[in-house]
Amino acid sequence: MRFSQHVSPPSSFPLDYSPTEMVFRNFNEDSSSSELSLKLRNPHAQPFMFKLKTNVPDYYLVKPNQGILAAHNETSIRVIFSSTPASGVPRIRPGHHRTRHKFLLLARHFDPSQPPPHAHAHAHA
């Protein structure tokens, strides 16, 4: 089984990341989950805050889902998809089986002396 989300970064997004398509595979009778690593890189001379969100959080475990990326540094985010929701009981909503799983990656310059304002957003579908 193959399950994928395509990622197209806008030219204004401040961080570099890969892969550009998140492909979840290797499902079998013994395992109903699949894991991948999303790499973030900060090419700037100042730190950035990041946060990764999804519209179907019962099906994904994201570690870390937020953090601060130091100047000229990189990190990996583990994204684990499970075909069984974390609650064990699927939430039944009209049209849920047709819901396209999406991710939203937020990033913003980090200034420790300022309260955190809204972040720049980038949607992944």
Side-chain angles (χ1 to χ4, degrees), residues 22-36:
M22 299 193 309
V23 179
F24 297 92
R25 50 178 124 209
N26 298 329
F27 295 101
N28 58 48
E29 292 176 9
D30 298 328
S31 174
S32 61
S33 66
S34 182
E35 179 178 336
L36 64 79

Side-chain angles (χ1 to χ4, degrees), residues 7 18 20-22 24 27 40 45 56 64 78 89 95 118 122 125:
V7 180
S18 68
T20 57
E21 183 178 24
M22 299 193 309
F24 297 92
F27 295 101
L40 291 179
V56 283
R78 288 177 54 208
V89 178
H118 294 88
H122 172 71

Side-chain angles (χ1 to χ4, degrees), residues 56-61 80-91:
V56 283
D58 285 349
Y59 289 90
Y60 293 93
L61 175 63
I80 302 167
F81 170 75
S82 175
S83 60
T84 305
S87 65
V89 178
R91 286 192 276 179

Side-chain angles (χ1 to χ4, degrees), residues 72-109:
H72 304 291
N73 209 338
E74 61 183 48
T75 191
S76 291
I77 300 173
R78 288 177 54 208
V79 182
I80 302 167
F81 170 75
S82 175
S83 60
T84 305
S87 65
V89 178
R91 286 192 276 179
I92 299 175
R93 298 188 312 247
H96 179 71
H97 63 281
R98 293 185 306 262
T99 299
R100 184 170 174 158
H101 294 197
K102 298 177 186 176
F103 290 91
L104 177 65
L105 181 60
L106 304 167
R108 180 185 194 313
H109 171 256

Side-chain angles (χ1 to χ4, degrees), residues 4-25:
S4 71
Q5 271 68 318
H6 184 70
V7 180
S8 332
S11 59
S12 63
F13 193 71
L15 301 176
D16 298 332
Y17 61 95
S18 68
T20 57
E21 183 178 24
M22 299 193 309
V23 179
F24 297 92
R25 50 178 124 209

